[in-house]
Structures are given as C-alpha cells and as structure tokens.
Amino acid sequence: MDLNTIERNETDSASQSAAAASAPAKKVFVKTYGCQMNVYDSQRMTDALAADGYTATDVIADADLVLLNTCHIREKAAEKVYSELGRIRDMKAERAAVGREMLIGVAGCVAQAEGAEIIRRSPAVDLVIGPQTYHRLPDVLARVRGGEKIVETEYAIEDKFEHLPQPKRAEMIKRGVTAFLTVQEGCDKFCTFCVVPYTRGSEVSRPVAQIVAEAERLADAGVREVTLLGQNVNAWHGKGEDGMEWGLGRLLFRLAEIPGLARLRYTTSHPRDMDDELIAAHRDLPALMPYLHLPVQSGSDRILKAMNRRHTAKDYLALLERIRAARGDIALSGDFIVGFPGETDADFEATMGLVRQVNYASAFSFKYSPRPGTPGADMPDHVPEAVKDERLQRLQALLLKQQQDFGLGLVGSTIDTLIEKPGRQAGQKVGRSPWLQPVIVDEMAGEIGDIIRVRITKTGYNSLFAELA
C-alpha cells in the first residue's frame, strides 16, 4: 500500500469517526427470555452493536432497534414471542407515522427453530438471527437498512467463539461483581424431551486461552464471582496451556489462579459427564462454591430410559454419594419433569422417593410439554393435563419444604457472603451465599464486591438475613 493510500484511509477514518461522534446515538432494547446463557448472549449482542453506534436502553419506547432473545424450552414459547411481536409491531407503526425508524429482530432459540416462518407470520420483523450468529449483527443491520429482510441461522459455533466481541472495561464495570462466562455450547445427549441439540447444535468447547483471557478481563473490571455456562458444561474439554487435553476440573483450577477472582460456579451439568477430576475440584478448590446443579429429571428408571438420559436412579444416587464424600457441605439443585409420556403413578412416586432421599437445597420442576421435532412429542400415552397439574403441585410442595429446611438449617451458622448490590429497602445491601441464596445485611457491613463473614439470624421466603460475625 502506498503513502497516498494510507493518508486517504486515515482521512476517511477520521471523517467517519467525526460523523459517528456527531450523529445522534442509536438505542437498542434487548428483551431476554430463558436461561443464563441467553443473558450472556444478550450482553454479547449489546457489545457487538456498540461498535455500530448503539447504546443499550431499558425503555423500549426509546429504542431504534428492538431484539427479542428467545428461549424454546418453555411451553408455547413461540406463541409467546408472536404475541410480543404483535405489541411491538404497533409501536413500530406509531414511530413510522412520525418519521422515526424502529427495527425489530428476533434472536435466540425460537429464531433458530422457526427461521423464515417468523417473518412470514410477523412481517414487521426485519431480521431473524440464530444464537450462534449474533456477532454478525452489525453486518446484518447494514443489509436490513438496504431494504432486505434477513434470516441468519446458518452457523458454525467455532465461528461465534472466534468473533465474540469484547466489551469496554467501563461497560463491564457497570455489570457488577458477578458474571456469566460461556465455555461450552450445544449438546450431544439428545434427551427425547429437549430441543437444545436442534437449536444450539452439537457440543463445542471454547478454547482455554479465550476463556482465561475473558475471565482476566472480568476480574480486572471488578468481577469477584464467575459462573461458567454451557448446555452441558461439564462435558467441556479443550487444549490447555501445556498442550494437553483439559477437562472442566483442570480449567477451574486455572481460573482460580486469576487475581481478584474469588468464586467460581458452573451450570448446567449432566450426570454422565461428572468425572473424577471435577469431583476432586469440589474437594480441593476453595474458590469452587459448594453448590451443584445436577439435573436428574425423573426417579423412575423406565421414564429415564424413555427420556434417553442414559443413567439410572441408582447411578445418580451413587454419583451424589461420591460428590458428598468429597465435599460435605455441598448443596444439590436439580431439574424435574413430571407427566412425561407414559409416566404412571408408580413412576411419579419413584421421583418423589428420589427427592426425599437426595434432599435438595433448591430445584426447578415443570410439567412435560411436547416440543415439535423431538421424539417425545410423537410418543404414545401422553399424560392428561389434570394429572400433570396434581403431580407438579405435590412435587413442588416437597421441594419447597426442602428448600426452606435448608435455609432454616443455616440459622446461627457463620458463612462468607459476597456483597453484590444495594438492597430494595433503605439501609440494606444484598449479598450472595455460597449456596446462591440472597443474604440481606446492613448497608454498613461492607462495600459491593467485599466478601464478608456474617452470622445468619433468620430466613425469609427465598433469602437469608445476617449480621456481621
């Protein structure tokens, strides 16, 4: 390249920068549905759009671009998205009447599953973008402004990880002292009730160097606690800094070496990928919090086989015995589906028996609902809704009692709490216990980001109250 070309490029760049600085800031409103990975993805979308001149807003009426980052796990997820799009369409029409543009985009797993059908059913939508392609948003928006309707759902996950945008340090500081960090995406398990393999693709692990670099940036911005995310996070594996193949346990030890990073968590796990090294990390790594989300879904071996979970209730209980032997204060969380096709009263009672045996500190439970394209949707003997309702109420009552008993068992104990944010009431701050409960303390107990020693004095419905120890 000759000198004249360099000078011309520098002049053009300076002119573009000046124009961008003088142009009114565009605003993006992102509504996030579903899991923690969607929360992480929404932040990365905002980061990608910052380079295109967008700033985030919490007020949808102010937005020049509205993005719905969707989840396909819950019942009638797509219909809820279409209902929301109807409301936004009317807002877009009102804006157009006064000469102001509002672009509408659908991202995430419903976007991946529905594709062009979204634009067919909701013509006001300008773009549909799958969960692996949001780093391409600036290019997609340029095409939209050129008059195209864009459906961008073809992907390679490796491409996404390679091009994850890096947020500015100031933006990272605003996000607080806890953060999510995606290390793995997709799933190869193909549980018969689940759409994740079809919307997120096969399992892909993010490289160690990328993970460590992002964790270091988070720590530099004041983050004290990081939760590693993946649809099947404990299946993560990658080439380490020593050239050897690492598993999640080894990665956790490496992340614990980062100055300022005091706490580590990970979610969501599959029982079949809980290896010896990861269990040893729970035993030997103080930074790894004593809380494990390990879904079982059912206590009936017959239903587990129909779900293609590839473990039995006995396998699951034996694994928990090993984990609890390694870390005595570990608290268990789980996922349960009631009313899977063919579930009998005896199958459901097996689930209740497993819950009583495990004694969960918290759990998520749902009625089975068919997902189009999954094997479960085509199975015979679907359970009547009234039966599913009754079973879910019984299960949730038992799980709630176990959760409350776990909290009551902490009263009088002394624990470490990470102060996370101001409280809802004046004079309070909210911390986070090692077991993920909110901990309410006096605002003078410490500054946000401090890890303080407190004594639990009482419990609330979902929280703990404490005083300085």
Side-chain angles (χ1 to χ4, degrees), residues 265-266 282 288-293 329-334 361-364 434-436:
R265 304 181 189 271
Y266 61 91
H282 280 282
L288 182 55
M289 293 294 95
Y291 178 88
L292 176 61
H293 184 67
D329 63 343
I330 200 161
L332 271 298
S333 172
S362 66
F364 303 94
W435 305 283
L436 269 182

mmCIF file with all atom_site columns, all heavy atoms in Angstrom, residues 265-266 282 288-293 329-334 361-364 434-436:
data_model
loop_
_atom_site.group_PDB
_atom_site.id
_atom_site.type_symbol
_atom_site.label_atom_id
_atom_site.label_alt_id
_atom_site.label_comp_id
_atom_site.label_asym_id
_atom_site.label_entity_id
_atom_site.label_seq_id
_atom_site.pdbx_PDB_ins_code
_atom_site.Cartn_x
_atom_site.Cartn_y
_atom_site.Cartn_z
_atom_site.occupancy
_atom_site.B_iso_or_equiv
_atom_site.pdbx_formal_charge
_atom_site.auth_seq_id
_atom_site.auth_comp_id
_atom_site.auth_asym_id
_atom_site.auth_atom_id
_atom_site.pdbx_PDB_model_num
ATOM 1   N N   . ARG A 1 265 ? -18.369 -20.933 39.840 1.00 0.00 ? 265 ARG A N   1
ATOM 2   C CA  . ARG A 1 265 ? -19.504 -21.849 39.748 1.00 0.00 ? 265 ARG A CA  1
ATOM 3   C C   . ARG A 1 265 ? -19.589 -22.338 38.304 1.00 0.00 ? 265 ARG A C   1
ATOM 4   O O   . ARG A 1 265 ? -18.946 -21.787 37.406 1.00 0.00 ? 265 ARG A O   1
ATOM 5   C CB  . ARG A 1 265 ? -20.822 -21.138 40.106 1.00 0.00 ? 265 ARG A CB  1
ATOM 6   C CG  . ARG A 1 265 ? -20.851 -20.467 41.463 1.00 0.00 ? 265 ARG A CG  1
ATOM 7   C CD  . ARG A 1 265 ? -22.218 -19.820 41.712 1.00 0.00 ? 265 ARG A CD  1
ATOM 8   N NE  . ARG A 1 265 ? -22.213 -18.992 42.908 1.00 0.00 ? 265 ARG A NE  1
ATOM 9   C CZ  . ARG A 1 265 ? -22.483 -19.432 44.133 1.00 0.00 ? 265 ARG A CZ  1
ATOM 10  N NH1 . ARG A 1 265 ? -22.764 -20.721 44.310 1.00 0.00 ? 265 ARG A NH1 1
ATOM 11  N NH2 . ARG A 1 265 ? -22.471 -18.619 45.168 1.00 0.00 ? 265 ARG A NH2 1
ATOM 12  N N   . TYR A 1 266 ? -20.439 -23.336 38.066 1.00 0.00 ? 266 TYR A N   1
ATOM 13  C CA  . TYR A 1 266 ? -20.706 -23.769 36.699 1.00 0.00 ? 266 TYR A CA  1
ATOM 14  C C   . TYR A 1 266 ? -22.103 -24.374 36.622 1.00 0.00 ? 266 TYR A C   1
ATOM 15  O O   . TYR A 1 266 ? -22.618 -24.922 37.588 1.00 0.00 ? 266 TYR A O   1
ATOM 16  C CB  . TYR A 1 266 ? -19.658 -24.782 36.211 1.00 0.00 ? 266 TYR A CB  1
ATOM 17  C CG  . TYR A 1 266 ? -19.592 -26.065 37.010 1.00 0.00 ? 266 TYR A CG  1
ATOM 18  C CD1 . TYR A 1 266 ? -20.354 -27.182 36.648 1.00 0.00 ? 266 TYR A CD1 1
ATOM 19  C CD2 . TYR A 1 266 ? -18.751 -26.176 38.112 1.00 0.00 ? 266 TYR A CD2 1
ATOM 20  C CE1 . TYR A 1 266 ? -20.289 -28.361 37.380 1.00 0.00 ? 266 TYR A CE1 1
ATOM 21  C CE2 . TYR A 1 266 ? -18.682 -27.343 38.845 1.00 0.00 ? 266 TYR A CE2 1
ATOM 22  C CZ  . TYR A 1 266 ? -19.446 -28.435 38.477 1.00 0.00 ? 266 TYR A CZ  1
ATOM 23  O OH  . TYR A 1 266 ? -19.375 -29.606 39.194 1.00 0.00 ? 266 TYR A OH  1
ATOM 24  N N   . HIS A 1 282 ? -14.116 -30.093 43.463 1.00 0.00 ? 282 HIS A N   1
ATOM 25  C CA  . HIS A 1 282 ? -15.022 -29.747 44.566 1.00 0.00 ? 282 HIS A CA  1
ATOM 26  C C   . HIS A 1 282 ? -14.366 -30.024 45.919 1.00 0.00 ? 282 HIS A C   1
ATOM 27  O O   . HIS A 1 282 ? -14.622 -29.299 46.882 1.00 0.00 ? 282 HIS A O   1
ATOM 28  C CB  . HIS A 1 282 ? -16.324 -30.540 44.432 1.00 0.00 ? 282 HIS A CB  1
ATOM 29  C CG  . HIS A 1 282 ? -17.277 -29.966 43.428 1.00 0.00 ? 282 HIS A CG  1
ATOM 30  N ND1 . HIS A 1 282 ? -18.060 -28.868 43.690 1.00 0.00 ? 282 HIS A ND1 1
ATOM 31  C CD2 . HIS A 1 282 ? -17.560 -30.321 42.144 1.00 0.00 ? 282 HIS A CD2 1
ATOM 32  C CE1 . HIS A 1 282 ? -18.788 -28.579 42.630 1.00 0.00 ? 282 HIS A CE1 1
ATOM 33  N NE2 . HIS A 1 282 ? -18.502 -29.439 41.677 1.00 0.00 ? 282 HIS A NE2 1
ATOM 34  N N   . LEU A 1 288 ? -14.224 -22.887 44.352 1.00 0.00 ? 288 LEU A N   1
ATOM 35  C CA  . LEU A 1 288 ? -15.391 -23.531 43.740 1.00 0.00 ? 288 LEU A CA  1
ATOM 36  C C   . LEU A 1 288 ? -16.480 -23.668 44.787 1.00 0.00 ? 288 LEU A C   1
ATOM 37  O O   . LEU A 1 288 ? -16.331 -24.372 45.777 1.00 0.00 ? 288 LEU A O   1
ATOM 38  C CB  . LEU A 1 288 ? -15.004 -24.899 43.179 1.00 0.00 ? 288 LEU A CB  1
ATOM 39  C CG  . LEU A 1 288 ? -16.102 -25.681 42.451 1.00 0.00 ? 288 LEU A CG  1
ATOM 40  C CD1 . LEU A 1 288 ? -16.718 -24.864 41.327 1.00 0.00 ? 288 LEU A CD1 1
ATOM 41  C CD2 . LEU A 1 288 ? -15.543 -27.000 41.915 1.00 0.00 ? 288 LEU A CD2 1
ATOM 42  N N   . MET A 1 289 ? -17.578 -22.976 44.584 1.00 0.00 ? 289 MET A N   1
ATOM 43  C CA  . MET A 1 289 ? -18.629 -22.900 45.585 1.00 0.00 ? 289 MET A CA  1
ATOM 44  C C   . MET A 1 289 ? -19.305 -24.261 45.799 1.00 0.00 ? 289 MET A C   1
ATOM 45  O O   . MET A 1 289 ? -19.446 -25.043 44.862 1.00 0.00 ? 289 MET A O   1
ATOM 46  C CB  . MET A 1 289 ? -19.671 -21.861 45.183 1.00 0.00 ? 289 MET A CB  1
ATOM 47  C CG  . MET A 1 289 ? -19.164 -20.423 45.201 1.00 0.00 ? 289 MET A CG  1
ATOM 48  S SD  . MET A 1 289 ? -18.751 -19.815 46.867 1.00 0.00 ? 289 MET A SD  1
ATOM 49  C CE  . MET A 1 289 ? -16.974 -20.128 46.926 1.00 0.00 ? 289 MET A CE  1
ATOM 50  N N   . PRO A 1 290 ? -19.728 -24.524 47.038 1.00 0.00 ? 290 PRO A N   1
ATOM 51  C CA  . PRO A 1 290 ? -20.299 -25.835 47.384 1.00 0.00 ? 290 PRO A CA  1
ATOM 52  C C   . PRO A 1 290 ? -21.769 -25.954 46.974 1.00 0.00 ? 290 PRO A C   1
ATOM 53  O O   . PRO A 1 290 ? -22.659 -26.198 47.803 1.00 0.00 ? 290 PRO A O   1
ATOM 54  C CB  . PRO A 1 290 ? -20.135 -25.883 48.903 1.00 0.00 ? 290 PRO A CB  1
ATOM 55  C CG  . PRO A 1 290 ? -20.256 -24.462 49.326 1.00 0.00 ? 290 PRO A CG  1
ATOM 56  C CD  . PRO A 1 290 ? -19.591 -23.662 48.236 1.00 0.00 ? 290 PRO A CD  1
ATOM 57  N N   . TYR A 1 291 ? -22.018 -25.775 45.688 1.00 0.00 ? 291 TYR A N   1
ATOM 58  C CA  . TYR A 1 291 ? -23.379 -25.796 45.163 1.00 0.00 ? 291 TYR A CA  1
ATOM 59  C C   . TYR A 1 291 ? -23.320 -26.408 43.775 1.00 0.00 ? 291 TYR A C   1
ATOM 60  O O   . TYR A 1 291 ? -22.523 -25.986 42.939 1.00 0.00 ? 291 TYR A O   1
ATOM 61  C CB  . TYR A 1 291 ? -23.933 -24.373 45.097 1.00 0.00 ? 291 TYR A CB  1
ATOM 62  C CG  . TYR A 1 291 ? -25.337 -24.249 44.530 1.00 0.00 ? 291 TYR A CG  1
ATOM 63  C CD1 . TYR A 1 291 ? -26.443 -24.369 45.365 1.00 0.00 ? 291 TYR A CD1 1
ATOM 64  C CD2 . TYR A 1 291 ? -25.541 -24.004 43.179 1.00 0.00 ? 291 TYR A CD2 1
ATOM 65  C CE1 . TYR A 1 291 ? -27.735 -24.244 44.859 1.00 0.00 ? 291 TYR A CE1 1
ATOM 66  C CE2 . TYR A 1 291 ? -26.823 -23.876 42.663 1.00 0.00 ? 291 TYR A CE2 1
ATOM 67  C CZ  . TYR A 1 291 ? -27.911 -23.997 43.510 1.00 0.00 ? 291 TYR A CZ  1
ATOM 68  O OH  . TYR A 1 291 ? -29.189 -23.880 43.005 1.00 0.00 ? 291 TYR A OH  1
ATOM 69  N N   . LEU A 1 292 ? -24.139 -27.420 43.535 1.00 0.00 ? 292 LEU A N   1
ATOM 70  C CA  . LEU A 1 292 ? -24.074 -28.138 42.270 1.00 0.00 ? 292 LEU A CA  1
ATOM 71  C C   . LEU A 1 292 ? -25.474 -28.344 41.714 1.00 0.00 ? 292 LEU A C   1
ATOM 72  O O   . LEU A 1 292 ? -26.332 -28.949 42.366 1.00 0.00 ? 292 LEU A O   1
ATOM 73  C CB  . LEU A 1 292 ? -23.397 -29.500 42.473 1.00 0.00 ? 292 LEU A CB  1
ATOM 74  C CG  . LEU A 1 292 ? -23.348 -30.418 41.248 1.00 0.00 ? 292 LEU A CG  1
ATOM 75  C CD1 . LEU A 1 292 ? -22.556 -29.779 40.107 1.00 0.00 ? 292 LEU A CD1 1
ATOM 76  C CD2 . LEU A 1 292 ? -22.732 -31.770 41.629 1.00 0.00 ? 292 LEU A CD2 1
ATOM 77  N N   . HIS A 1 293 ? -25.677 -27.836 40.505 1.00 0.00 ? 293 HIS A N   1
ATOM 78  C CA  . HIS A 1 293 ? -26.940 -28.067 39.790 1.00 0.00 ? 293 HIS A CA  1
ATOM 79  C C   . HIS A 1 293 ? -26.733 -29.285 38.896 1.00 0.00 ? 293 HIS A C   1
ATOM 80  O O   . HIS A 1 293 ? -26.006 -29.227 37.904 1.00 0.00 ? 293 HIS A O   1
ATOM 81  C CB  . HIS A 1 293 ? -27.318 -26.842 38.964 1.00 0.00 ? 293 HIS A CB  1
ATOM 82  C CG  . HIS A 1 293 ? -28.650 -26.980 38.296 1.00 0.00 ? 293 HIS A CG  1
ATOM 83  N ND1 . HIS A 1 293 ? -29.833 -27.028 39.008 1.00 0.00 ? 293 HIS A ND1 1
ATOM 84  C CD2 . HIS A 1 293 ? -28.994 -27.089 36.977 1.00 0.00 ? 293 HIS A CD2 1
ATOM 85  C CE1 . HIS A 1 293 ? -30.846 -27.152 38.167 1.00 0.00 ? 293 HIS A CE1 1
ATOM 86  N NE2 . HIS A 1 293 ? -30.364 -27.196 36.935 1.00 0.00 ? 293 HIS A NE2 1
ATOM 87  N N   . ASP A 1 329 ? -20.208 -30.109 52.659 1.00 0.00 ? 329 ASP A N   1
ATOM 88  C CA  . ASP A 1 329 ? -21.193 -29.034 52.771 1.00 0.00 ? 329 ASP A CA  1
ATOM 89  C C   . ASP A 1 329 ? -21.852 -28.692 51.429 1.00 0.00 ? 329 ASP A C   1
ATOM 90  O O   . ASP A 1 329 ? -22.529 -27.673 51.314 1.00 0.00 ? 329 ASP A O   1
ATOM 91  C CB  . ASP A 1 329 ? -20.550 -27.772 53.352 1.00 0.00 ? 329 ASP A CB  1
ATOM 92  C CG  . ASP A 1 329 ? -19.450 -27.204 52.462 1.00 0.00 ? 329 ASP A CG  1
ATOM 93  O OD1 . ASP A 1 329 ? -18.958 -27.931 51.581 1.00 0.00 ? 329 ASP A OD1 1
ATOM 94  O OD2 . ASP A 1 329 ? -19.079 -26.026 52.665 1.00 0.00 ? 329 ASP A OD2 1
ATOM 95  N N   . ILE A 1 330 ? -21.684 -29.557 50.428 1.00 0.00 ? 330 ILE A N   1
ATOM 96  C CA  . ILE A 1 330 ? -22.242 -29.234 49.117 1.00 0.00 ? 330 ILE A CA  1
ATOM 97  C C   . ILE A 1 330 ? -23.761 -29.322 49.157 1.00 0.00 ? 330 ILE A C   1
ATOM 98  O O   . ILE A 1 330 ? -24.342 -30.181 49.818 1.00 0.00 ? 330 ILE A O   1
ATOM 99  C CB  . ILE A 1 330 ? -21.662 -30.166 48.029 1.00 0.00 ? 330 ILE A CB  1
ATOM 100 C CG1 . ILE A 1 330 ? -21.850 -29.539 46.649 1.00 0.00 ? 330 ILE A CG1 1
ATOM 101 C CG2 . ILE A 1 330 ? -22.295 -31.564 48.083 1.00 0.00 ? 330 ILE A CG2 1
ATOM 102 C CD1 . ILE A 1 330 ? -20.953 -30.119 45.580 1.00 0.00 ? 330 ILE A CD1 1
ATOM 103 N N   . ALA A 1 331 ? -24.407 -28.390 48.472 1.00 0.00 ? 331 ALA A N   1
ATOM 104 C CA  . ALA A 1 331 ? -25.862 -28.373 48.352 1.00 0.00 ? 331 ALA A CA  1
ATOM 105 C C   . ALA A 1 331 ? -26.230 -28.738 46.926 1.00 0.00 ? 331 ALA A C   1
ATOM 106 O O   . ALA A 1 331 ? -25.571 -28.309 45.973 1.00 0.00 ? 331 ALA A O   1
ATOM 107 C CB  . ALA A 1 331 ? -26.418 -27.000 48.715 1.00 0.00 ? 331 ALA A CB  1
ATOM 108 N N   . LEU A 1 332 ? -27.292 -29.521 46.783 1.00 0.00 ? 332 LEU A N   1
ATOM 109 C CA  . LEU A 1 332 ? -27.699 -30.014 45.474 1.00 0.00 ? 332 LEU A CA  1
ATOM 110 C C   . LEU A 1 332 ? -28.920 -29.268 44.947 1.00 0.00 ? 332 LEU A C   1
ATOM 111 O O   . LEU A 1 332 ? -29.844 -28.970 45.702 1.00 0.00 ? 332 LEU A O   1
ATOM 112 C CB  . LEU A 1 332 ? -28.021 -31.500 45.540 1.00 0.00 ? 332 LEU A CB  1
ATOM 113 C CG  . LEU A 1 332 ? -26.866 -32.483 45.307 1.00 0.00 ? 332 LEU A CG  1
ATOM 114 C CD1 . LEU A 1 332 ? -26.290 -32.316 43.908 1.00 0.00 ? 332 LEU A CD1 1
ATOM 115 C CD2 . LEU A 1 332 ? -25.799 -32.356 46.372 1.00 0.00 ? 332 LEU A CD2 1
ATOM 116 N N   . SER A 1 333 ? -28.885 -28.992 43.658 1.00 0.00 ? 333 SER A N   1
ATOM 117 C CA  . SER A 1 333 ? -30.031 -28.466 42.941 1.00 0.00 ? 333 SER A CA  1
ATOM 118 C C   . SER A 1 333 ? -30.321 -29.400 41.780 1.00 0.00 ? 333 SER A C   1
ATOM 119 O O   . SER A 1 333 ? -29.421 -30.122 41.316 1.00 0.00 ? 333 SER A O   1
ATOM 120 C CB  . SER A 1 333 ? -29.727 -27.053 42.436 1.00 0.00 ? 333 SER A CB  1
ATOM 121 O OG  . SER A 1 333 ? -30.750 -26.586 41.592 1.00 0.00 ? 333 SER A OG  1
ATOM 122 N N   . GLY A 1 334 ? -31.577 -29.422 41.306 1.00 0.00 ? 334 GLY A N   1
ATOM 123 C CA  . GLY A 1 334 ? -31.917 -30.335 40.228 1.00 0.00 ? 334 GLY A CA  1
ATOM 124 C C   . GLY A 1 334 ? -33.032 -29.819 39.356 1.00 0.00 ? 334 GLY A C   1
ATOM 125 O O   . GLY A 1 334 ? -33.627 -28.776 39.617 1.00 0.00 ? 334 GLY A O   1
ATOM 126 N N   . ALA A 1 361 ? -31.458 -28.612 48.062 1.00 0.00 ? 361 ALA A N   1
ATOM 127 C CA  . ALA A 1 361 ? -31.497 -27.245 48.588 1.00 0.00 ? 361 ALA A CA  1
ATOM 128 C C   . ALA A 1 361 ? -32.351 -26.343 47.712 1.00 0.00 ? 361 ALA A C   1
ATOM 129 O O   . ALA A 1 361 ? -32.888 -25.337 48.181 1.00 0.00 ? 361 ALA A O   1
ATOM 130 C CB  . ALA A 1 361 ? -30.081 -26.689 48.689 1.00 0.00 ? 361 ALA A CB  1
ATOM 131 N N   . SER A 1 362 ? -32.472 -26.682 46.436 1.00 0.00 ? 362 SER A N   1
ATOM 132 C CA  . SER A 1 362 ? -33.343 -25.956 45.518 1.00 0.00 ? 362 SER A CA  1
ATOM 133 C C   . SER A 1 362 ? -33.539 -26.837 44.294 1.00 0.00 ? 362 SER A C   1
ATOM 134 O O   . SER A 1 362 ? -32.773 -27.782 44.067 1.00 0.00 ? 362 SER A O   1
ATOM 135 C CB  . SER A 1 362 ? -32.754 -24.597 45.107 1.00 0.00 ? 362 SER A CB  1
ATOM 136 O OG  . SER A 1 362 ? -31.578 -24.788 44.351 1.00 0.00 ? 362 SER A OG  1
ATOM 137 N N   . ALA A 1 363 ? -34.556 -26.539 43.515 1.00 0.00 ? 363 ALA A N   1
ATOM 138 C CA  . ALA A 1 363 ? -34.802 -27.332 42.310 1.00 0.00 ? 363 ALA A CA  1
ATOM 139 C C   . ALA A 1 363 ? -35.798 -26.611 41.413 1.00 0.00 ? 363 ALA A C   1
ATOM 140 O O   . ALA A 1 363 ? -36.542 -25.734 41.858 1.00 0.00 ? 363 ALA A O   1
ATOM 141 C CB  . ALA A 1 363 ? -35.328 -28.718 42.663 1.00 0.00 ? 363 ALA A CB  1
ATOM 142 N N   . PHE A 1 364 ? -35.792 -26.996 40.154 1.00 0.00 ? 364 PHE A N   1
ATOM 143 C CA  . PHE A 1 364 ? -36.737 -26.489 39.168 1.00 0.00 ? 364 PHE A CA  1
ATOM 144 C C   . PHE A 1 364 ? -37.581 -27.660 38.680 1.00 0.00 ? 364 PHE A C   1
ATOM 145 O O   . PHE A 1 364 ? -37.039 -28.726 38.354 1.00 0.00 ? 364 PHE A O   1
ATOM 146 C CB  . PHE A 1 364 ? -35.999 -25.845 37.992 1.00 0.00 ? 364 PHE A CB  1
ATOM 147 C CG  . PHE A 1 364 ? -35.079 -24.738 38.403 1.00 0.00 ? 364 PHE A CG  1
ATOM 148 C CD1 . PHE A 1 364 ? -33.740 -24.984 38.645 1.00 0.00 ? 364 PHE A CD1 1
ATOM 149 C CD2 . PHE A 1 364 ? -35.554 -23.446 38.561 1.00 0.00 ? 364 PHE A CD2 1
ATOM 150 C CE1 . PHE A 1 364 ? -32.885 -23.965 39.029 1.00 0.00 ? 364 PHE A CE1 1
ATOM 151 C CE2 . PHE A 1 364 ? -34.709 -22.417 38.947 1.00 0.00 ? 364 PHE A CE2 1
ATOM 152 C CZ  . PHE A 1 364 ? -33.372 -22.679 39.193 1.00 0.00 ? 364 PHE A CZ  1
ATOM 153 N N   . PRO A 1 434 ? -22.660 -18.876 49.626 1.00 0.00 ? 434 PRO A N   1
ATOM 154 C CA  . PRO A 1 434 ? -22.024 -19.919 48.806 1.00 0.00 ? 434 PRO A CA  1
ATOM 155 C C   . PRO A 1 434 ? -23.034 -20.801 48.086 1.00 0.00 ? 434 PRO A C   1
ATOM 156 O O   . PRO A 1 434 ? -22.701 -21.428 47.077 1.00 0.00 ? 434 PRO A O   1
ATOM 157 C CB  . PRO A 1 434 ? -21.207 -20.712 49.828 1.00 0.00 ? 434 PRO A CB  1
ATOM 158 C CG  . PRO A 1 434 ? -20.925 -19.737 50.926 1.00 0.00 ? 434 PRO A CG  1
ATOM 159 C CD  . PRO A 1 434 ? -22.163 -18.893 51.017 1.00 0.00 ? 434 PRO A CD  1
ATOM 160 N N   . TRP A 1 435 ? -24.283 -20.859 48.597 1.00 0.00 ? 435 TRP A N   1
ATOM 161 C CA  . TRP A 1 435 ? -25.315 -21.739 48.029 1.00 0.00 ? 435 TRP A CA  1
ATOM 162 C C   . TRP A 1 435 ? -26.332 -20.953 47.209 1.00 0.00 ? 435 TRP A C   1
ATOM 163 O O   . TRP A 1 435 ? -27.431 -21.427 46.982 1.00 0.00 ? 435 TRP A O   1
ATOM 164 C CB  . TRP A 1 435 ? -25.987 -22.519 49.157 1.00 0.00 ? 435 TRP A CB  1
ATOM 165 C CG  . TRP A 1 435 ? -24.972 -23.258 49.962 1.00 0.00 ? 435 TRP A CG  1
ATOM 166 C CD1 . TRP A 1 435 ? -24.335 -24.420 49.638 1.00 0.00 ? 435 TRP A CD1 1
ATOM 167 C CD2 . TRP A 1 435 ? -24.425 -22.844 51.215 1.00 0.00 ? 435 TRP A CD2 1
ATOM 168 N NE1 . TRP A 1 435 ? -23.434 -24.759 50.605 1.00 0.00 ? 435 TRP A NE1 1
ATOM 169 C CE2 . TRP A 1 435 ? -23.462 -23.811 51.595 1.00 0.00 ? 435 TRP A CE2 1
ATOM 170 C CE3 . TRP A 1 435 ? -24.647 -21.758 52.070 1.00 0.00 ? 435 TRP A CE3 1
ATOM 171 C CZ2 . TRP A 1 435 ? -22.740 -23.722 52.775 1.00 0.00 ? 435 TRP A CZ2 1
ATOM 172 C CZ3 . TRP A 1 435 ? -23.921 -21.660 53.228 1.00 0.00 ? 435 TRP A CZ3 1
ATOM 173 C CH2 . TRP A 1 435 ? -22.979 -22.638 53.575 1.00 0.00 ? 435 TRP A CH2 1
ATOM 174 N N   . LEU A 1 436 ? -25.973 -19.736 46.797 1.00 0.00 ? 436 LEU A N   1
ATOM 175 C CA  . LEU A 1 436 ? -26.730 -18.901 45.869 1.00 0.00 ? 436 LEU A CA  1
ATOM 176 C C   . LEU A 1 436 ? -27.924 -18.177 46.476 1.00 0.00 ? 436 LEU A C   1
ATOM 177 O O   . LEU A 1 436 ? -28.653 -17.498 45.762 1.00 0.00 ? 436 LEU A O   1
ATOM 178 C CB  . LEU A 1 436 ? -27.216 -19.714 44.652 1.00 0.00 ? 436 LEU A CB  1
ATOM 179 C CG  . LEU A 1 436 ? -26.277 -19.751 43.447 1.00 0.00 ? 436 LEU A CG  1
ATOM 180 C CD1 . LEU A 1 436 ? -26.895 -20.543 42.304 1.00 0.00 ? 436 LEU A CD1 1
ATOM 181 C CD2 . LEU A 1 436 ? -25.910 -18.361 42.965 1.00 0.00 ? 436 LEU A CD2 1
#
